[in-house]
Amino acid sequence: FDLDGTMVLSDDIYIKVWSKLLKEYNIFVDKDFFNKNIQGQTDNVVLQRLLKNKNIDFNFVSKLKDTYFIEFIKDIIIVDGIIEYLKYLKENNQKVGIVTNCNSKCANYIIDYCGFREYTDHLVIGSECKKPKPYPDPYIEAMEYFKVNNNEVIIFEDSKSGLLSGKSANPLLLVGITTVFDKNELEKLYVGCVIDNYMGLKNKNILSYIQSEDTHKYLKNLIYTNFKEKIKHIEIYDNKLKGGYISDVLRVQIMFDSKTIDCVMKIENKIVNNLSIMANKLGLYEREYYFYEALSHYVPVKIPHFHGLLKDEQLNNRGILLENLNQDKFCLNLNLNEENIDISLKIIDEITKLHLKFWNKNIINLFPGLKKNNDQLFQPCWELFVKEKWSMFLNKWEFLLNEKQIEIGSYIVEHFHEIQENLSKDNLTLIHGDVKSPNLFYKKTEDDNYEPYFIDWQYICNGKGVQDLVFFMIESFDIEKLKIIKDLFLNYYFIKIQKEIKEYDYETFIQDVKDSSSYYPFFVAVWFGSTPEEDLIDKNFPFFFIQKVFTFLEMIY
């Protein structure tokens, strides 16, 4: 069981707690303010956002918050029927675990105060795991404690991040409770069963909701249709290598008479939320399918071997089958802030090779599935999006930005159409569109260097090569490192390009840098910065990414 929102309701308590904490800073906390600025956030994020310029001891305030919570504990609401259901589980020799993102002090106090202790066999605190919810780690840790397989586990959750955590742990059944979202919203999140409370609940009731469709059978059928060669056996591993609101990645072994291939299966995730809606608007699935099917054989950079698209019975694309790079000789997402700078320069070497291969080749004639930055897929919808969201974005994040950065942002919003047009003419090439260390595997070489392998090609485009470089720098480095490497990386890239493309002058290059940093990085900042927190896998991503984007823009403008 999740705790807060699933076994108990404590929002009213937290509103009182934060109201008392923030009153001395002239911040009035009501339900609306709480929902918009506090709910679902860690203490540190809330305090850094609301009290960034105050000289306060965040640890002291966080501890004070716990004290106030205990003071108001009498206002906690126990979800109807939970005690009776816990008793039923105990009487039937079931093990009960509580898996929560609450801090340890509050969680234990709630468990004792509400009478859950005698029915609880184990407590997992998300912040004490390697990764908290929405990652599956807390639920996986609970399964390991009980020494059970995931198909022996029922998980109860209420929030989107909790449901994503539970879903990614692949339980026998994921139950959603309607304390936050209604039945329709929960069903969109792929829960197996929806309940309003625990009144009269028995395991036989909820187990009857297990979907009859055998998910593994469906996935195996997708694979069988992809290969002409006879397959002896398919092994699908339950633990996701990667999962989220856009796609899931599973490890698969396919056995033939003469060989066994180790693959990853990247499958569309059909959860409907702000991120998945935007993913469809951007054509992310189909663009990646097009890359692997039409372009992957021609790129001069290293990528995982493409085994084929996965199509359903109606021949609709549902996923991709790729070589599994999750091997001992590979690592994913090096922290380039701490690694030798030669690794970053090697990445720039590789994207330069990619760009030079397709530079001014009019590749849209050869590959009509490619899009330019002013294609109807992006224009006018991106321009309309940033104009619509800019005021909301500023209201939420103005505290992070200085006057010049806000002025630059307003200028970009006003000139967004012009920026799209500039990035759609002259000196165009094939771009990856989303180059960053999390989208790179690194293969260790014999001389202790690393060879980059590029994954996640959803954002391919016929655009300016420097778009890849700009996004790579912003996404892969922290602000202080960004200030140091910016000029070095830009000049290094330009020298390598200009060696082959003599007519590409420095003034044009700098204008391309300016337009590139004003386009996709700015769009992502506004996109994620205006997305509800419950739809974000990493709720802290906007806080850090926005600062990096606007710092970079300030250096360029």
Side-chain angles (χ1 to χ4, degrees):
F1 296 87
D2 169 54
L3 180 59
D4 199 358
T6 302
M7 302 176 78
V8 298
L9 305 177
S10 61
D11 277 2
D12 288 347
I13 295 179
Y14 281 116
I15 290 170
K16 291 179 181 179
V17 168
W18 282 104
S19 180
K20 191 169 182 176
L21 278 171
L22 298 175
K23 185 177 181 180
E24 65 176 286
Y25 302 103
N26 297 314
I27 299 175
F28 175 72
V29 179
D30 57 11
K31 186 173 181 63
D32 184 59
F33 183 91
F34 176 81
N35 291 342
K36 288 181 179 177
N37 299 284
I38 298 174
Q39 190 177 47
Q41 301 289 335
T42 63
D43 292 351
N44 281 347
V45 170
V46 173
L47 293 170
Q48 286 173 6
R49 175 185 291 177
L50 299 178
L51 305 176
K52 181 184 178 186
N53 298 319
K54 302 292 183 182
N55 184 21
I56 60 173
D57 183 341
F58 287 171
N59 287 330
F60 172 77
V61 174
S62 188
K63 289 177 181 177
L64 192 59
K65 172 178 159 283
D66 293 343
T67 301
Y68 291 161
F69 182 90
I70 293 169
E71 179 183 328
F72 295 120
I73 191 69
K74 67 181 186 305
D75 294 326
I76 202 163
I77 298 171
I78 300 175
V79 176
D80 289 343
I82 184 62
I83 294 290
E84 290 76 12
Y85 184 52
L86 292 174
K87 286 179 180 177
Y88 160 80
L89 294 175
K90 201 71 171 177
E91 289 167 359
N92 286 273
N93 299 313
Q94 301 295 307
K95 296 294 183 183
V96 172
I98 295 177
V99 177
T100 178
N101 269 0
C102 287
N103 66 52
S104 181
K105 183 176 180 180
C106 282
N108 278 289
Y109 201 86
I110 291 170
I111 290 168
D112 288 330
Y113 182 84
C114 295
F116 300 152
R117 181 71 66 187
E118 63 179 298
Y119 307 110
T120 304
D121 299 291
H122 188 54
L123 170 65
V124 175
I125 303 297
S127 62
E128 296 175 2
C129 300
K130 186 176 180 181
K131 292 180 180 177
K133 300 175 189 178
Y135 297 96
D137 301 51
Y139 280 111
I140 291 172
E141 182 176 308
M143 294 176 195
E144 290 173 348
Y145 173 85
F146 287 118
K147 294 182 173 60
V148 294
N149 296 319
N150 55 303
N151 60 6
E152 301 173 273
V153 173
I154 301 172
I155 291 176
F156 295 82
E157 269 286 1
D158 68 299
S159 68
K160 286 188 178 179
S161 63
L163 288 163
L164 179 61
S165 175
K167 179 178 181 290
S168 298
N170 293 295
L172 174 67
L173 182 66
L174 178 61
V175 181
I177 185 166
T178 60
T179 52
V180 178
F181 300 107
D182 63 24
K183 186 175 187 291
N184 289 334
E185 290 174 302
L186 287 170
E187 286 176 345
K188 289 177 183 177
L189 297 169
Y190 286 105
V191 299
C193 169
V194 176
I195 60 174
D196 296 319
N197 54 52
Y198 302 89
M199 298 294 289
L201 192 64
K202 300 288 186 289
N203 279 0
K204 64 181 180 180
N205 303 137
I206 56 174
L207 288 176
S208 67
Y209 284 90
I210 295 176
Q211 295 177 350
S212 60
E213 179 185 37
D214 183 342
T215 303
H216 278 203
K217 183 178 179 181
Y218 168 75
L219 295 176
K220 288 177 181 179
N221 284 338
L222 291 179
I223 296 171
Y224 280 121
T225 60
N226 181 69
F227 289 94
K228 293 180 180 178
E229 188 178 350
K230 185 178 179 182
I231 297 173
K232 289 178 61 179
H233 179 68
I234 298 173
E235 184 73 28
I236 298 177
Y237 294 82
D238 283 321
N239 289 337
K240 291 183 178 65
L241 301 174
K242 186 179 179 183
Y245 288 124
I246 295 177
S247 62
D248 292 325
V249 182
L250 295 165
R251 183 188 174 199
V252 179
Q253 280 192 328
I254 306 172
M255 282 146 264
F256 303 90
D257 285 331
S258 59
K259 63 182 178 181
T260 297
I261 59 174
D262 199 355
C263 309
V264 294
M265 179 169 46
K266 189 172 184 180
I267 296 293
E268 293 180 18
N269 189 329
K270 294 301 183 182
I271 289 176
V272 178
N273 61 67
N274 286 274
L275 293 182
S276 63
I277 291 169
M278 181 61 77
N280 279 296
K281 285 182 178 179
L282 297 179
L284 298 188
Y285 302 117
E286 292 303 325
R287 286 159 76 187
E288 185 164 43
Y289 299 152
Y290 187 77
F291 167 78
Y292 279 108
E293 194 165 44
L295 278 152
S296 61
H297 306 293
Y298 303 102
V299 296
V301 298
K302 290 183 170 57
I303 61 174
H305 179 74
F306 171 56
H307 290 293
L309 296 183
L310 299 172
K311 296 178 181 285
D312 62 19
E313 291 181 355
Q314 287 73 43
L315 300 181
N316 297 309
N317 293 325
R318 289 290 174 248
I320 313 172
L321 207 59
L322 300 168
E323 172 190 6
N324 181 17
L325 297 183
N326 286 277
Q327 310 290 345
D328 290 340
K329 57 187 175 182
F330 287 93
C331 59
L332 176 67
N333 188 18
L334 288 176
N335 184 351
L336 297 177
N337 293 284
E338 299 175 359
E339 297 291 340
N340 190 308
I341 197 171
D342 290 342
I343 299 173
S344 297
L345 294 177
K346 175 66 175 174
I347 295 166
I348 299 174
D349 288 340
E350 294 302 301
I351 62 174
T352 304
K353 282 198 306 187
L354 173 69
H355 298 156
L356 287 173
K357 167 110 183 218
F358 296 96
W359 196 281
N360 281 336
K361 293 290 196 305
N362 199 10
I363 52 177
I364 285 186
N365 284 347
L366 300 172
F367 304 102
L370 271 178
K371 311 294 183 184
K372 289 185 180 181
N373 290 298
N374 63 353
D375 184 87
Q376 62 181 3
L377 190 65
F378 314 114
Q379 193 184 76
C381 63
W382 282 31
E383 176 188 0
L384 296 175
F385 180 84
V386 296
K387 286 183 176 179
E388 177 192 346
K389 300 294 185 182
W390 179 240
S391 294
M392 180 198 307
F393 176 87
L394 272 186
N395 287 337
K396 190 172 182 179
W397 300 103
E398 189 173 9
F399 73 97
L400 282 182
L401 309 175
N402 61 41
E403 189 175 334
K404 182 181 178 184
Q405 291 170 344
I406 293 173
E407 183 181 323
I408 292 169
S410 299
Y411 174 87
I412 292 171
V413 171
E414 187 66 28
H415 294 83
F416 203 82
H417 182 87
E418 178 186 337
I419 291 166
Q420 285 182 297
E421 292 298 325
N422 290 344
L423 293 172
S424 304
K425 62 185 180 183
D426 305 325
N427 297 301
L428 301 183
T429 185
L430 173 66
I431 63 171
H432 177 283
D434 196 23
V435 177
K436 56 186 178 183
S437 196
N439 285 343
L440 291 167
F441 272 94
Y442 299 85
K443 183 179 180 181
K444 193 74 173 285
T445 61
E446 292 182 359
D447 56 355
D448 287 336
N449 288 319
Y450 287 98
E451 189 76 26
Y453 281 63
F454 293 74
I455 62 171
D456 287 355
W457 291 80
Q458 298 101 319
Y459 292 90
I460 58 166
C461 184
N462 185 206
K464 303 282 189 177
V466 75
Q467 288 179 251
D468 278 340
L469 178 62
V470 165
F471 198 72
F472 167 65
M473 290 191 287
I474 292 172
E475 266 278 39
S476 304
F477 297 92
D478 59 39
I479 288 178
E480 294 310 312
K481 194 78 169 183
L482 195 55
K483 294 175 181 176
I484 296 170
I485 55 93
K486 181 199 56 115
D487 289 338
L488 169 62
F489 285 10
L490 288 175
N491 289 328
Y492 182 77
Y493 175 85
F494 175 73
I495 290 169
K496 293 185 74 67
I497 292 291
Q498 222 256 346
K499 185 178 180 182
E500 301 291 331
I501 313 296
K502 305 293 186 186
E503 64 274 16
Y504 191 48
D505 62 82
Y506 193 70
E507 184 179 350
T508 303
F509 169 69
I510 291 301
Q511 183 60 49
D512 287 345
V513 171
K514 190 174 181 180
D515 288 332
S516 297
S517 57
S518 304
Y519 185 50
Y520 183 58
F522 181 80
F523 175 81
V524 172
V526 175
W527 172 16
F528 279 79
S530 60
T531 296
E533 283 82 359
E534 65 267 19
D535 283 352
L536 296 172
I537 294 175
D538 181 357
K539 297 184 189 304
N540 293 327
F541 172 78
F543 180 81
F544 296 106
F545 183 75
I546 288 165
Q547 293 179 76
K548 292 198 290 182
V549 169
F550 280 85
T551 297
F552 192 86
L553 287 168
E554 190 174 10
M555 290 190 289
I556 294 299
Y557 272 77

